[in-house]
């Protein structure tokens, strides 16, 4: 891939929870700390077929005690006994892989879906996407074929926003479940230089950037793209985190996502912001009704984030039947409107991007 090419870093994220046979989840037991094979019994060739459909492939795999973790050509895949998380970026077609996932799960005896989430940030260049990802409404119509879900846009219609489609069911899960995602843009140039190919190995980049210290002891596997770009998955027991870096200045983007359980996410959030130094970031927190801190709004301390040099512009809380979802948008105190204008100018000079924006958006299906 040419360093000058436009790359859409913003990922599409699909998480599907299948009902264990006979609902064998013990009350209070973490649903992903399960020795059962469940979805992990799906043969590798079948997993590759699912990824083919999404237009990406496996670069690296790690098989933990409770989770199979795959670093992909475009982001990540995590498979636990009853949950699959597929995150893909670029112009991948994530949702057409959904029927294949459902069929593969049925073939290993998991025929009922307990819950599902599909989410993504607004793309930088939406019209470069293929069906059904050209528009959130198109994605919702696609998902409505399979689910009776609810769909929300969160954030600004004329600014940074994030979309969510989920079920709104009461679940039988009796333990906390939290996901935190930080989506960073306008990143510090010096911090991004670490994610260009140099004499360092991908492992050394993980260590020297500070990523290895986010969760000490986590098993991290990573990939450094040529000439730039970095992805890693970290597995620790039943939990994961995943980071993806698009360092090109014109459209720099870094995502961090984890399901680790904490009473206070502030230290982890501050560590991530310190490593990547974004000019702006969006954060979303999903917290089910058993989360130790109550609703998603209490997952981190806003004053401490502001004290670290970020100003909150937007915050919305979405209350579901069994969970709450927070969306927040922040800008660094050192980030200026002039920088935004300069980035816009630079983006126009990216050959791939210019050609793309000059192409009229395709008509809706
Ligand atoms: C790390 S990958 C995964 C993207 C991730 N979703 C993100 O945060 O942007 C994207 C980065 O790797 C670079 N890259 C280089 N070769 C690539 C390839 N063959 N496929 C995908 N990305 C590649 C892209 O230009 C971009 O900087």
């Amino acid at each position: 891939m040419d360093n000058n090419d436009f790359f859409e870093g913003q990922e599409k994220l699909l998480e599907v929870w299948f009902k264990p046979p006979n609902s064998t989840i013990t009350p209070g037991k973490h649903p992903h700390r399960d020795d059962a094979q469940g979805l992990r019994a799906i043969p590798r060739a079948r997993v590759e077929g699912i990824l083919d459909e999404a237009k990406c492939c496996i670069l690296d795999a790690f098989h933990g005690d409770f989770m199979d973790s795959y670093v992909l050509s475009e982001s990540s895949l995590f498979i636990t006994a009853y949950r699959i998380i597929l995150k893909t970026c670029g112009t991948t077609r994530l949702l057409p892989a959904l029927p294949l996932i459902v069929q593969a799960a049925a073939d290993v005896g998991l025929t009922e879906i307990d819950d599902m989430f599909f989410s993504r940030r607004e793309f930088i260049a939406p019209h470069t996407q293929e069906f059904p990802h050209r528009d959130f409404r198109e994605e919702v119509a696609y998902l409505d074929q399979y689910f009776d879900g609810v769909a929300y846009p969160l954030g600004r219609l004329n600014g940074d926003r994030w979309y969510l489609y989920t079920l709104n069911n009461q679940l039988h899960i009796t333990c906390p479940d939290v996901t935190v995602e930080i989506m960073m843009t306008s990143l510090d140039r010096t911090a991004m230089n670490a994610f260009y190919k140099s004499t360092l190995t991908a492992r050394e980049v993980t260590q020297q950037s500070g990523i290895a210290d986010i969760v000490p002891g986590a098993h991290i596997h990573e990939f450094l793209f040529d000439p730039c770009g970095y992805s890693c998955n970290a597995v620790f027991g039943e939990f994961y985190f995943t980071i993806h870096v698009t360092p090109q200045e014109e459209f720099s983007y870094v995502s961090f996502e984890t399901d680790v359980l904490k009473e206070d996410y502030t230290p982890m959030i501050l560590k991530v912001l310190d490593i990547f130094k974004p000019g702006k970031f969006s954060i979303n927190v999903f917290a089910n009704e058993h989360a130790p801190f109550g609703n998603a709004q209490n997952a981190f301390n806003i004053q401490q984030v502001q004290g670290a040099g970020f100003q909150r512009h937007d915050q919305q809380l979405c209350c579901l039947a069994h969970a709450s979802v927070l969306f927040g948008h922040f800008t660094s105190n050192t980030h200026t409107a002039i920088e935004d204008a300069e980035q816009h100018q630079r983006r126009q000079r990216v050959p791939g991007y210019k050609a793309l924006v000059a192409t009229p958006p395709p008509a809706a299906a």
Side-chain angles (χ1 to χ4, degrees):
M1 175 174 289
D2 188 326
N3 185 18
N4 291 322
D5 281 350
F6 170 71
F7 189 84
E8 182 72 73
Q10 336 278 319
E11 301 97 349
K12 308 153 183 111
L13 177 60
L14 176 69
E15 180 167 329
V16 188
W17 292 46
F18 290 86
K19 196 167 270 177
N22 318 315
S23 286
T24 51
I25 287 182
T26 318
K29 182 179 172 193
H30 194 279
H32 308 313
R33 197 173 179 87
D34 202 308
D35 297 323
Q37 273 286 290
L39 297 167
R40 301 179 75 191
I42 298 172
R44 165 98 177 213
R46 200 79 187 270
V47 172
E48 287 171 354
I50 291 168
L51 296 174
D52 266 357
E53 188 65 31
K55 289 192 18 188
C56 56
C57 62
I58 297 171
L59 297 178
D60 199 42
F62 169 71
H63 303 285
D65 290 341
F66 305 108
M67 192 180 317
D68 296 327
S69 162
Y70 300 92
V71 174
L72 305 179
S73 54
E74 272 90 2
S75 301
S76 293
L77 169 69
F78 295 98
I79 304 179
T80 49
Y82 305 118
R83 180 195 65 189
I84 186 160
I85 298 175
L86 178 55
K87 181 171 205 170
T88 67
C89 58
T91 53
T92 48
R93 294 174 73 234
L94 172 62
L95 287 180
L98 174 64
L100 275 65
I101 292 173
V102 173
Q103 188 55 55
D107 292 347
V108 295
L110 301 172
T111 52
E112 274 187 81
I113 290 177
D114 230 356
D115 208 353
M116 65 76 62
F117 308 87
F118 171 75
S119 65
R120 67 168 174 85
R121 237 171 88 108
E122 178 60 359
F123 297 122
I124 296 174
H127 54 280
T128 63
Q129 296 293 322
E130 293 180 22
F131 174 84
H133 295 293
R134 295 174 297 185
D135 179 85
F136 185 53
R137 267 173 291 202
E138 189 172 70
E139 293 167 324
V140 171
Y142 189 92
L143 286 163
D144 278 346
Q145 298 177 96
Y146 301 98
F147 304 105
D148 184 17
V150 290
Y152 302 96
L154 294 170
R156 285 188 196 185
L157 210 50
N158 58 351
D160 286 273
R161 62 192 176 279
W162 179 73
Y163 302 111
L164 171 68
Y165 183 103
T166 186
L167 306 185
N168 203 7
N169 294 341
Q170 281 294 349
L171 299 179
H172 63 272
I173 293 160
T174 55
C175 74
D177 177 48
V178 179
T179 302
V180 175
E181 256 189 292
I182 310 175
M183 293 163 283
M184 298 163 265
T185 52
S186 301
L187 293 119
D188 177 74
R189 235 173 135 165
T190 313
M192 289 299 97
N193 282 343
F195 303 99
Y196 279 77
K197 264 220 144 132
S198 67
T199 51
L200 298 184
T201 62
R203 174 54 47 94
E204 287 166 339
V205 170
T206 303
Q207 285 160 347
Q208 295 191 11
S209 60
I211 290 171
D213 306 324
I214 297 174
V215 177
H219 179 93
I220 301 181
H221 60 130
E222 60 276 274
F223 194 88
L224 193 55
F225 292 84
D226 189 7
C228 66
Y230 167 93
S231 290
C232 77
N233 287 351
V235 174
F236 36 113
E238 64 270 46
F239 302 117
Y240 70 90
F241 76 72
T242 181
I243 292 177
H244 299 279
V245 182
T246 292
Q248 291 97 319
E249 196 180 7
E250 297 81 0
F251 34 85
S252 64
Y253 174 73
V254 177
S255 66
F256 169 84
E257 176 193 336
T258 186
D259 70 343
V260 66
L261 278 181
K262 289 191 176 287
E263 299 214 342
D264 176 11
Y265 286 86
T266 317
M268 180 178 261
I269 292 167
L270 295 182
K271 191 169 247 175
V272 170
L273 296 175
D274 186 51
I275 294 172
F276 298 109
K277 302 185 176 31
K280 306 179 194 179
F281 72 92
S282 305
I283 183 163
N284 53 271
V285 179
F286 168 91
N288 78 354
E289 60 198 335
H290 305 291
F293 45 78
N295 88 31
Q297 200 169 0
N298 306 318
F300 61 94
N301 183 312
I302 176 82
Q303 280 79 24
Q304 286 185 43
V305 174
Q306 291 183 330
F310 294 93
Q311 194 189 341
R312 185 182 64 198
H313 293 290
D314 291 306
Q315 179 164 305
Q316 287 169 287
L317 184 69
C318 172
C319 294
L320 303 169
H322 65 291
S324 56
V325 183
L326 175 90
F327 171 87
H329 184 65
F330 292 76
T331 303
S332 155
N333 292 339
T334 59
H335 187 79
T336 64
I338 296 171
E339 285 173 278
D340 278 343
E342 284 172 357
Q343 187 189 47
H344 179 75
Q345 292 294 322
R346 279 196 302 276
R347 231 176 233 178
Q348 303 310 310
R349 291 198 288 271
V350 174
Y353 184 75
K354 198 165 178 195
L356 293 170
V357 289
T359 312

